[in-house]
mmCIF file of all heavy atoms in Angstrom:
data_model
loop_
_atom_site.group_PDB
_atom_site.id
_atom_site.type_symbol
_atom_site.label_atom_id
_atom_site.label_comp_id
_atom_site.label_asym_id
_atom_site.label_seq_id
_atom_site.Cartn_x
_atom_site.Cartn_y
_atom_site.Cartn_z
ATOM 1 N N ASN B 891 11.847 12.243 27.949
ATOM 2 C CA ASN B 891 10.584 12.471 28.623
ATOM 3 C C ASN B 891 9.986 13.795 28.152
ATOM 4 O O ASN B 891 10.542 14.800 28.514
ATOM 5 C CB ASN B 891 10.716 12.432 30.029
ATOM 6 C CG ASN B 891 11.218 11.104 30.614
ATOM 7 O OD1 ASN B 891 10.521 10.069 30.411
ATOM 8 N ND2 ASN B 891 12.381 11.059 31.164
ATOM 9 N N LEU B 892 8.912 13.804 27.367
ATOM 10 C CA LEU B 892 8.345 15.091 26.846
ATOM 11 C C LEU B 892 7.056 15.339 27.594
ATOM 12 O O LEU B 892 6.110 14.573 27.448
ATOM 13 C CB LEU B 892 8.105 14.875 25.371
ATOM 14 C CG LEU B 892 9.353 14.801 24.518
ATOM 15 C CD1 LEU B 892 9.821 13.384 24.247
ATOM 16 C CD2 LEU B 892 9.127 15.456 23.170
ATOM 17 N N PRO B 893 7.025 16.496 28.313
ATOM 18 C CA PRO B 893 5.848 16.820 29.045
ATOM 19 C C PRO B 893 4.790 17.590 28.258
ATOM 20 O O PRO B 893 5.104 18.288 27.321
ATOM 21 C CB PRO B 893 6.378 17.686 30.189
ATOM 22 C CG PRO B 893 7.598 18.349 29.586
ATOM 23 C CD PRO B 893 8.140 17.369 28.559
ATOM 24 N N CYS B 894 3.554 17.499 28.715
ATOM 25 C CA CYS B 894 2.505 18.303 28.070
ATOM 26 C C CYS B 894 1.434 18.581 29.182
ATOM 27 O O CYS B 894 1.009 17.709 29.968
ATOM 28 C CB CYS B 894 1.876 17.444 26.921
ATOM 29 S SG CYS B 894 0.464 18.310 26.163
ATOM 30 N N ASN B 895 1.055 19.850 29.246
ATOM 31 C CA ASN B 895 0.029 20.287 30.147
ATOM 32 C C ASN B 895 -1.260 20.484 29.384
ATOM 33 O O ASN B 895 -1.281 21.169 28.338
ATOM 34 C CB ASN B 895 0.461 21.608 30.852
ATOM 35 C CG ASN B 895 1.476 21.296 31.959
ATOM 36 O OD1 ASN B 895 1.471 20.317 32.652
ATOM 37 N ND2 ASN B 895 2.398 22.238 32.069
ATOM 38 N N HIS B 896 -2.345 19.978 29.974
ATOM 39 C CA HIS B 896 -3.653 20.149 29.336
ATOM 40 C C HIS B 896 -4.672 20.254 30.476
ATOM 41 O O HIS B 896 -5.564 19.392 30.619
ATOM 42 C CB HIS B 896 -3.981 18.991 28.379
ATOM 43 C CG HIS B 896 -3.394 17.651 28.710
ATOM 44 N ND1 HIS B 896 -3.939 16.834 29.687
ATOM 45 C CD2 HIS B 896 -2.281 17.066 28.233
ATOM 46 C CE1 HIS B 896 -3.208 15.750 29.801
ATOM 47 N NE2 HIS B 896 -2.148 15.862 28.916
ATOM 48 N N SER B 897 -4.545 21.343 31.207
ATOM 49 C CA SER B 897 -5.338 21.438 32.505
ATOM 50 C C SER B 897 -6.839 21.652 32.222
ATOM 51 O O SER B 897 -7.620 21.459 33.150
ATOM 52 C CB SER B 897 -4.767 22.681 33.269
ATOM 53 O OG SER B 897 -4.848 23.856 32.518
ATOM 54 N N THR B 898 -7.252 21.996 30.988
ATOM 55 C CA THR B 898 -8.644 22.223 30.727
ATOM 56 C C THR B 898 -9.306 21.031 30.053
ATOM 57 O O THR B 898 -10.369 21.125 29.476
ATOM 58 C CB THR B 898 -8.877 23.464 29.890
ATOM 59 O OG1 THR B 898 -8.174 23.328 28.651
ATOM 60 C CG2 THR B 898 -8.406 24.763 30.653
ATOM 61 N N ILE B 899 -8.566 19.864 30.082
ATOM 62 C CA ILE B 899 -9.138 18.709 29.334
ATOM 63 C C ILE B 899 -10.501 18.271 29.921
ATOM 64 O O ILE B 899 -10.716 18.374 31.125
ATOM 65 C CB ILE B 899 -8.129 17.567 29.431
ATOM 66 C CG1 ILE B 899 -8.476 16.404 28.481
ATOM 67 C CG2 ILE B 899 -7.950 17.032 30.848
ATOM 68 C CD1 ILE B 899 -7.358 15.409 28.313
ATOM 69 N N SER B 900 -11.416 17.840 29.060
ATOM 70 C CA SER B 900 -12.666 17.375 29.507
ATOM 71 C C SER B 900 -12.742 15.905 29.487
ATOM 72 O O SER B 900 -11.846 15.257 28.925
ATOM 73 C CB SER B 900 -13.785 18.050 28.654
ATOM 74 O OG SER B 900 -13.650 17.729 27.356
ATOM 75 N N GLY B 901 -13.799 15.372 30.117
ATOM 76 C CA GLY B 901 -13.896 13.916 30.375
ATOM 77 C C GLY B 901 -13.860 13.097 29.124
ATOM 78 O O GLY B 901 -13.389 11.922 29.188
ATOM 79 N N ASN B 902 -14.329 13.544 27.978
ATOM 80 C CA ASN B 902 -14.333 12.763 26.829
ATOM 81 C C ASN B 902 -13.249 13.040 25.800
ATOM 82 O O ASN B 902 -13.305 12.644 24.616
ATOM 83 C CB ASN B 902 -15.689 12.949 26.042
ATOM 84 C CG ASN B 902 -15.889 14.354 25.591
ATOM 85 O OD1 ASN B 902 -15.214 15.281 26.013
ATOM 86 N ND2 ASN B 902 -16.892 14.555 24.737
ATOM 87 N N GLU B 903 -12.257 13.775 26.269
ATOM 88 C CA GLU B 903 -11.109 14.098 25.387
ATOM 89 C C GLU B 903 -9.936 13.171 25.660
ATOM 90 O O GLU B 903 -9.584 12.867 26.809
ATOM 91 C CB GLU B 903 -10.687 15.554 25.609
ATOM 92 C CG GLU B 903 -11.714 16.541 24.992
ATOM 93 C CD GLU B 903 -11.238 17.978 25.144
ATOM 94 O OE1 GLU B 903 -10.882 18.384 26.271
ATOM 95 O OE2 GLU B 903 -11.349 18.725 24.127
ATOM 96 N N TYR B 904 -9.265 12.767 24.544
ATOM 97 C CA TYR B 904 -8.134 11.851 24.598
ATOM 98 C C TYR B 904 -6.863 12.684 24.389
ATOM 99 O O TYR B 904 -6.913 13.774 23.874
ATOM 100 C CB TYR B 904 -8.215 10.828 23.487
ATOM 101 C CG TYR B 904 -9.177 9.725 23.756
ATOM 102 C CD1 TYR B 904 -10.475 9.940 23.837
ATOM 103 C CD2 TYR B 904 -8.717 8.463 23.878
ATOM 104 C CE1 TYR B 904 -11.406 8.880 24.064
ATOM 105 C CE2 TYR B 904 -9.540 7.396 24.131
ATOM 106 C CZ TYR B 904 -10.922 7.617 24.240
ATOM 107 O OH TYR B 904 -11.784 6.588 24.426
ATOM 108 N N VAL B 905 -5.800 12.196 24.852
ATOM 109 C CA VAL B 905 -4.516 12.780 24.591
ATOM 110 C C VAL B 905 -3.884 12.056 23.421
ATOM 111 O O VAL B 905 -3.628 10.841 23.522
ATOM 112 C CB VAL B 905 -3.621 12.742 25.829
ATOM 113 C CG1 VAL B 905 -2.208 13.449 25.514
ATOM 114 C CG2 VAL B 905 -4.281 13.440 26.993
ATOM 115 N N TYR B 906 -3.437 12.761 22.413
ATOM 116 C CA TYR B 906 -2.752 12.199 21.269
ATOM 117 C C TYR B 906 -1.365 12.740 21.133
ATOM 118 O O TYR B 906 -1.097 13.981 21.462
ATOM 119 C CB TYR B 906 -3.451 12.530 19.921
ATOM 120 C CG TYR B 906 -4.710 11.821 19.715
ATOM 121 C CD1 TYR B 906 -5.899 12.068 20.375
ATOM 122 C CD2 TYR B 906 -4.729 10.724 18.797
ATOM 123 C CE1 TYR B 906 -7.047 11.378 20.171
ATOM 124 C CE2 TYR B 906 -5.960 10.001 18.556
ATOM 125 C CZ TYR B 906 -7.025 10.339 19.222
ATOM 126 O OH TYR B 906 -8.228 9.649 19.041
ATOM 127 N N TRP B 907 -0.422 11.972 20.679
ATOM 128 C CA TRP B 907 0.932 12.437 20.317
ATOM 129 C C TRP B 907 1.261 12.138 18.895
ATOM 130 O O TRP B 907 1.070 10.982 18.460
ATOM 131 C CB TRP B 907 2.046 11.818 21.250
ATOM 132 C CG TRP B 907 2.028 12.427 22.634
ATOM 133 C CD1 TRP B 907 1.209 12.097 23.685
ATOM 134 C CD2 TRP B 907 2.811 13.478 23.058
ATOM 135 N NE1 TRP B 907 1.485 12.851 24.797
ATOM 136 C CE2 TRP B 907 2.538 13.699 24.465
ATOM 137 C CE3 TRP B 907 3.870 14.259 22.544
ATOM 138 C CZ2 TRP B 907 3.191 14.646 25.240
ATOM 139 C CZ3 TRP B 907 4.509 15.184 23.268
ATOM 140 C CH2 TRP B 907 4.167 15.407 24.597
#
Side-chain angles (χ1 to χ4, degrees):
Chain B
N891 297 298
L892 292 89
C894 179
N895 286 322
H896 31 79
S897 58
T898 60
I899 192 170
S900 57
N902 63 345
E903 288 182 311
Y904 284 66
V905 180
Y906 284 78
W907 283 85

